[in-house]
């Protein structure tokens, strides 16, 4: 029996959970930190390194108090964070600015430039991240910072993902050549590819912009999977956190990837983490390219397999925005759609409110809704938005299946599926597969699993999952709703590829609105019949 700390840095707070290898979760603490937005720039989203670390201290103290354990009995800790959340640093890895948070889109011009250069110069690495470089990723954000801060450029030493800097700080690592670099983060967000020799060449980066000359060498470090130790906790940080010095800390990772581990992902599974955005993940024995998918990286998610990641640029953020515009909260609005059926709103929503991450990888797209009438409500909009995210996820799953990644089980996890049962029913009907929902909280469980590996408690990820992961609640698709869902998806797919690509061929759309009306009428009629059955 051993106790470890799993640390999960999310968009608005850090959560620390203490786990016992036999008893499971013992206690949890949370530390919030501000997200800095700017009214004059809607693309801006930043956070402070100091705020992150102060929140970690508070959350750790809460977790220890909640678990009623002696902090010196904790045998290891592990860290996951959002990503690509990037900070430029100077000497001794001191931040030169705030983090560019994962949802910061200021670097869209830089991302477009990197994508164009990659195709013009035949950079093979671009194919491994879906054929398009995102403004949410590392090189784009770093180039934006270099262009925007000429007065600070001379002090620039390297750039770090949040998971790597947080881990390095706790381990007392200040040498950029020795800093741990997560394969998860660097592979999916920086085009690092071991089979291609690591990062893109200096000649390519210099061709994008001379400001990137020499950056490849500055992104040096120990690139490793999460079953590798980054170092051990320093005496100074042990005292601050109330832990024992010298406990092992593995190489960190992206939060969604370790959420998949905590949700029990196995070969043949797809894990859909629905939070502020969504992350669709699978693992495979083969490192095969999948066009339009954000990343295929050996050793990511599960260190023994190839990790596959795709997703939507917004999920919960869209739902929250609908509730905010309606002057209510999301919980109340969600309760209003508990009895809705697939297609009954007569709306079809393209959920591009924050651009498209996959499979079009176009940050310039914006949301569109078909079928509005004067009687539609915010609840209708919310249900249609949830259906839209489900249909968009189906686009991604179809692309994965076309390239040999089957969907035997679909596991929904993250904050939204835990709080709203209706979204799991929507996904089951839209995807026509059973949706599995972990009965226990998976937040920070993935990081705890890698902490247990670092402590030597378990020898493999699979062994730790068998001991610690929760059983599932299963939501089965409803055959009548699936029929309507298939009809809606056919229109969604047509609209997705015709509206989402400037070079698309003309497509007939004359049946969209009549079919939405017919499906809504049929769904309501079926619902009325079902209510009559219950009455009698």
């Amino acid at each position: 029996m051993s106790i470890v700390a799993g640390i999960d840095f999310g968009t608005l707070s850090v959560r620390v959970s203490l786990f016992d290898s036999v008893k499971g979760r013992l206690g949890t603490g949370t530390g919030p930190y501000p997200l800095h937005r700017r009214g004059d720039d809607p693309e801006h989203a930043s956070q402070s390194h100091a705020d992150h670390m102060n929140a970690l201290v508070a959350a750790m103290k809460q977790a220890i108090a909640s678990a009623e354990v002696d902090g010196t009995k904790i045998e290891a800790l592990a860290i996951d964070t959002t990503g690509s959340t990037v900070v430029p640093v100077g000497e001794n890895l001191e931040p030169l600015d705030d983090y560019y948070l994962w949802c910061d889109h200021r670097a869209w011009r830089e991302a477009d430039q990197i994508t164009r250069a990659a195709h013009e110069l035949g950079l093979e690495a671009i194919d491994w991240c879906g054929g398009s470089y995102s403004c949410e990723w590392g090189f784009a954000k770093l180039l934006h910072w270099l262009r925007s801060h000429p007065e600070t450029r001379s002090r620039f030493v390297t750039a770090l993902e949040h998971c790597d800097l947080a881990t390095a700080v706790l381990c007392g690592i200040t040498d950029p050549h020795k800093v741990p670099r997560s394969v998860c983060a660097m592979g999916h967000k920086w085009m690092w590819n071991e089979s291609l020799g690591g990062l893109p060449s200096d000649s390519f980066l210099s061709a994008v912009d001379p400001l990137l000359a020499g950056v490849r060498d500055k992104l040096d470090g120990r690139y490793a999977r999460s079953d590798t130790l980054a170092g051990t906790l320093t005496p100074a940080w042990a005292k601050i956190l109330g832990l024992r010095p010298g406990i092992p800390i593995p190489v960190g990772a992206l939060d969604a990837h370790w959420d998949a581990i905590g949700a029990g992902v196995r070969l043949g599974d797809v894990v859909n983490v629905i939070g502020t955005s969504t992350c669709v993940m699978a693992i495979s024995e083969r490192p095969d390219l999948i066009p339009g998918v954000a990343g295929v990286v050996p050793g990511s998610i599960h260190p023994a397999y190839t990790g596959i990641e795709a997703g939507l640029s917004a999920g919960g953020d869209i739902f929250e925005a609908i509730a905010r515009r309606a002057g209510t909260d999301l919980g109340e609005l969600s309760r209003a759609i508990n009895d809705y059926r697939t297609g009954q709103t007569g709306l079809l929503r393209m959920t591009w409110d924050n651009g498209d991450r996959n499979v079009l990888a176009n940050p310039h797209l914006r949301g569109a809704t078909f079928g509005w009438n004067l009687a539609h409500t915010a609840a209708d909009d919310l249900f249609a938005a949830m259906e839209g995210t489900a249909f968009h996820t189906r686009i991604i799953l179809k692309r994965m299946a076309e390239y040999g990644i089957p969907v035997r089980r679909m596991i929904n996890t993250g904050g939204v599926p835990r709080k709203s049962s209706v979204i799991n029913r929507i996904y089951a009907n839209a995807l026509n597969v059973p949706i599995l929902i972990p009965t226990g909280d998976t937040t920070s469980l993935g990081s705890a699993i890698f902490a247990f590996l670092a402590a030597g408690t378990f020898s493999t990820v699979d062994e730790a999952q068998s001991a610690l992961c929760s059983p599932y609640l299963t939501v089965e698709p409803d055959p009548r709703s699936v029929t309507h869902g298939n009809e809606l998806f056919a229109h969604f797919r047509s609209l997705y590829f015709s509206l989402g690509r400037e070079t698309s061929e003309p497509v007939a759309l004359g049946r969209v609105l009549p079919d939405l009306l017919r499906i809504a009428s049929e769904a309501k009629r079926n619902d009325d019949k079902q209510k009559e059955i219950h009455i009698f």
Side-chain angles (χ1 to χ4, degrees):
M1 185 176 74
S2 61
I3 299 172
V4 301
I7 300 171
D8 174 83
F9 282 92
T11 301
L12 297 174
S13 64
V14 59
R15 187 173 185 184
V16 177
S17 294
L18 303 187
F19 284 84
D20 183 289
S21 57
V22 175
K23 299 176 182 177
R25 194 185 303 265
L26 300 177
T28 298
T30 302
Y33 34 73
L35 165 58
H36 304 296
R37 293 281 194 180
R38 285 176 45 176
D40 61 343
D41 185 357
E43 311 291 4
H44 183 107
S46 64
Q47 284 178 336
S48 158
H49 170 69
D51 287 344
H52 285 161
M53 301 311 289
N54 289 336
L56 172 61
V57 173
M60 182 66 75
K61 291 179 179 178
Q62 286 181 27
I64 292 172
S66 171
E68 297 182 338
V69 300
D70 181 350
T72 63
K73 302 299 183 184
I74 295 171
E75 297 186 22
L77 65 83
I79 298 172
D80 66 55
T81 69
T82 62
S84 188
T85 294
V86 179
V87 64
V89 299
E91 292 295 329
N92 298 317
L93 307 189
E94 287 293 328
L96 298 175
D97 207 336
D98 281 352
Y99 282 97
Y100 280 60
L101 195 61
W102 68 270
C103 53
D104 187 301
H105 286 180
R106 282 177 285 172
W108 62 268
R109 295 179 183 84
E110 288 75 10
D112 286 351
Q113 188 175 348
I114 291 169
T115 298
R116 288 196 304 272
H119 289 292
E120 290 170 2
L121 299 175
L123 182 71
E124 188 177 352
I126 197 69
D127 297 329
W128 289 86
C129 56
S132 180
Y133 200 76
S134 171
C135 63
E136 296 182 353
W137 297 348
F139 277 119
K141 291 177 176 178
L142 174 57
L143 180 55
H144 182 274
W145 184 85
L146 290 170
R147 287 173 171 174
S148 304
H149 296 81
E151 75 287 353
T152 321
R153 284 200 301 254
S154 62
R155 296 167 54 200
F156 173 74
V157 171
T158 189
L160 290 167
E161 285 285 337
H162 185 189
C163 62
D164 294 333
L165 179 57
T167 298
V169 166
L170 296 188
C171 293
I173 298 169
T174 58
D175 183 344
H177 303 295
K178 297 179 180 178
V179 71
R181 299 271 188 182
S182 164
V183 163
C184 280
M186 300 306 290
H188 287 275
K189 312 302 182 184
W190 293 80
M191 294 191 286
W192 181 86
N193 188 308
E194 189 173 19
S195 68
L196 300 178
L199 295 169
S201 68
D202 186 66
S203 61
F204 168 76
L205 295 174
S206 299
V208 172
D209 191 307
L211 287 175
L212 291 177
V215 162
R216 187 183 195 275
D217 289 340
K218 291 182 178 180
L219 295 175
D220 195 9
R222 295 184 291 125
Y223 287 71
R225 305 181 183 196
S226 294
D227 55 356
T228 302
L229 286 187
T232 58
L233 185 64
T234 67
W237 273 104
K239 183 177 181 180
I240 293 170
L241 294 171
L243 306 179
R244 186 176 76 246
I247 62 173
I249 304 174
V251 173
L254 302 180
D255 56 351
H257 292 186
W258 280 5
D259 280 347
I261 293 296
V265 66
R266 303 294 177 104
L267 286 171
D269 293 345
V270 170
V271 175
N272 186 28
V273 179
I274 310 175
T276 50
S277 65
T278 79
C279 193
V280 181
M281 294 162 290
I283 55 177
S284 173
E285 293 178 306
R286 306 191 317 271
D288 295 334
L289 287 173
I290 305 176
V293 167
V296 179
V297 179
S300 77
I301 303 179
H302 191 305
Y305 298 109
T306 292
I308 300 163
E309 178 198 330
L312 281 61
S313 293
D317 274 351
I318 297 176
F319 312 149
E320 289 283 0
I322 292 169
R324 186 171 61 251
R325 288 194 293 266
T328 185
D329 66 84
L330 182 56
E332 183 176 342
L333 200 58
S334 296
R335 287 189 288 274
I337 62 174
N338 274 338
D339 295 328
Y340 277 40
R341 290 186 174 275
T342 299
Q344 82 164 57
T345 65
L347 300 174
L348 185 61
R349 205 178 193 286
M350 313 305 294
T351 48
W352 288 325
D353 300 44
N354 198 33
D356 182 284
R357 184 180 296 168
N358 302 113
V359 296
L360 297 175
N362 184 348
H364 310 303
L365 294 175
R366 289 298 179 261
T369 305
F370 294 84
W372 284 114
N373 66 37
L374 297 177
H376 276 121
T377 65
D380 296 330
D381 190 13
L382 177 62
F383 191 82
M386 288 183 174
E387 284 186 321
T389 62
F391 291 138
H392 192 164
T393 301
R394 186 168 171 177
I395 293 279
I396 293 170
L397 298 184
K398 284 180 69 69
R399 180 60 59 89
M400 287 183 175
E402 288 168 2
Y403 287 84
I405 306 300
V407 183
R408 298 192 183 96
R409 300 195 306 176
M410 182 77 180
I411 304 171
N412 270 6
T413 187
V416 176
R418 287 199 303 271
K419 297 174 183 176
S420 172
S421 61
V422 69
I423 198 169
N424 299 309
R425 177 164 50 84
I426 289 171
Y427 271 68
N429 294 331
L431 304 178
N432 192 21
V433 296
I435 300 297
L436 280 61
I437 306 99
T439 56
D441 186 358
T442 60
T443 306
S444 63
L445 175 55
S447 51
I449 284 173
F450 283 97
F452 277 122
L453 262 63
T457 307
F458 300 106
S459 57
T460 66
V461 170
D462 293 25
E463 181 188 358
Q465 286 177 313
S466 296
L468 296 167
C469 290
S470 303
Y472 302 103
L473 170 69
T474 301
V475 177
E476 297 285 349
D478 172 63
R480 290 169 301 179
S481 295
V482 167
T483 299
H484 288 148
N486 287 339
E487 289 188 80
L488 290 172
F489 177 71
H491 286 305
F492 183 94
R493 188 179 188 282
S494 177
L495 291 165
Y496 180 87
F497 288 107
S498 59
L499 293 179
R501 296 188 296 201
E502 293 182 14
T503 57
S504 64
E505 296 293 324
V507 60
L509 300 178
R511 290 302 314 167
V512 174
L513 296 179
D515 283 354
L516 291 179
L517 285 170
R518 174 183 56 79
I519 291 168
S521 177
E522 291 175 358
K524 290 175 182 176
R525 190 161 57 246
N526 289 339
D527 189 42
D528 289 341
K529 289 180 180 178
Q530 189 67 27
K531 288 178 180 177
E532 288 177 8
I533 292 171
H534 286 311
I535 290 173
F536 291 103

